Amino acid sequence: GKIQQSQKQKKLIREFEQKILALEQSLTVMVQEFEKEREMLRKTHQNELAVSKAQITTLTRQFELQRRETTHIKKLARHLLDQRTELEQFFIEALAQVKREITSNRMQYRQDAEKVYHHQMME
C-alpha cells in the first residue's frame, strides 16, 4: 500500500514537474516571440516615422518654394500691370496730342484758306 502510494505520488510529482518544465519552456518561447514581435513593430514604426518626417521636410521645402514663386509671380504681374498702365497713359496722351494737332492744323488751314480767298477777292 504505502510503497505503491509513495511510488504513485513520486510518479505524479515527476509528471507535474515535467508539465511545469514544459509550461515554463512554452512561456519562455512565447515571451521571446513577443519580444521579437515588439522589437519588429518598434523598428517598423521607427522607419515609418523617419519616412514621415522626411516627407514633411520635403513638402515643407516644396511649399516654401511655391510660396516664393507665387510671391515673385505676383510682383511680376504687378510690374507688368503698372507698365501696361503707363503705356496706356502714354498712348492716351499721344492720342490727345494728335487730336490737338489735327484741330490746330484744320484751324490753320481754314485761316490760310480764308486769307487766300480774301486776297483773291481784293484783286
Side-chain angles (χ1 to χ4, degrees):
K2 281 196 171 201
I3 293 176
Q4 240 182 351
Q5 193 178 359
S6 176
Q7 286 176 340
K8 264 189 178 179
Q9 282 181 340
K10 283 182 182 178
K11 186 179 174 189
L12 272 175
I13 289 172
R14 273 196 308 269
E15 286 175 5
F16 282 137
E17 284 174 345
Q18 286 174 351
K19 283 183 182 179
I20 289 172
L21 188 63
L23 287 171
E24 284 176 344
Q25 288 172 346
S26 290
L27 186 60
T28 300
V29 168
M30 287 174 67
V31 167
Q32 287 171 347
E33 286 176 2
F34 172 78
E35 289 297 325
K36 279 183 194 174
E37 181 81 18
R38 193 174 80 175
E39 182 61 21
M40 195 174 71
L41 285 172
R42 189 188 67 75
K43 284 182 179 177
T44 300
H45 289 295
Q46 197 173 20
N47 290 340
E48 288 173 356
L49 183 63
V51 168
S52 294
K53 283 181 179 179
Q55 287 175 338
I56 288 170
T57 301
T58 300
L59 290 171
T60 302
R61 282 191 195 130
Q62 287 175 347
F63 173 76
E64 184 58 28
L65 286 173
Q66 271 188 326
R67 189 190 62 75
R68 286 184 191 160
E69 189 176 337
T70 301
T71 302
H72 182 67
I73 289 171
K74 285 179 181 177
K75 284 181 184 176
L76 284 177
R78 169 58 48 202
H79 182 68
L80 288 174
L81 188 62
D82 290 346
Q83 280 185 336
R84 194 182 87 184
T85 303
E86 288 174 19
L87 196 58
E88 288 171 349
Q89 190 60 40
F90 170 79
F91 281 122
I92 289 169
E93 289 172 8
L95 187 59
Q97 178 65 31
V98 168
K99 285 180 180 178
R100 285 193 300 272
E101 287 178 14
I102 289 172
T103 303
S104 174
N105 286 343
R106 281 185 183 158
M107 287 174 58
Q108 188 63 47
Y109 175 78
R110 189 174 289 138
Q111 287 173 359
D112 290 347
E114 285 177 9
K115 282 181 186 175
V116 169
Y117 176 75
H118 284 299
H119 183 68
Q120 286 176 351
M121 292 307 256
M122 294 298 218
E123 289 181 359

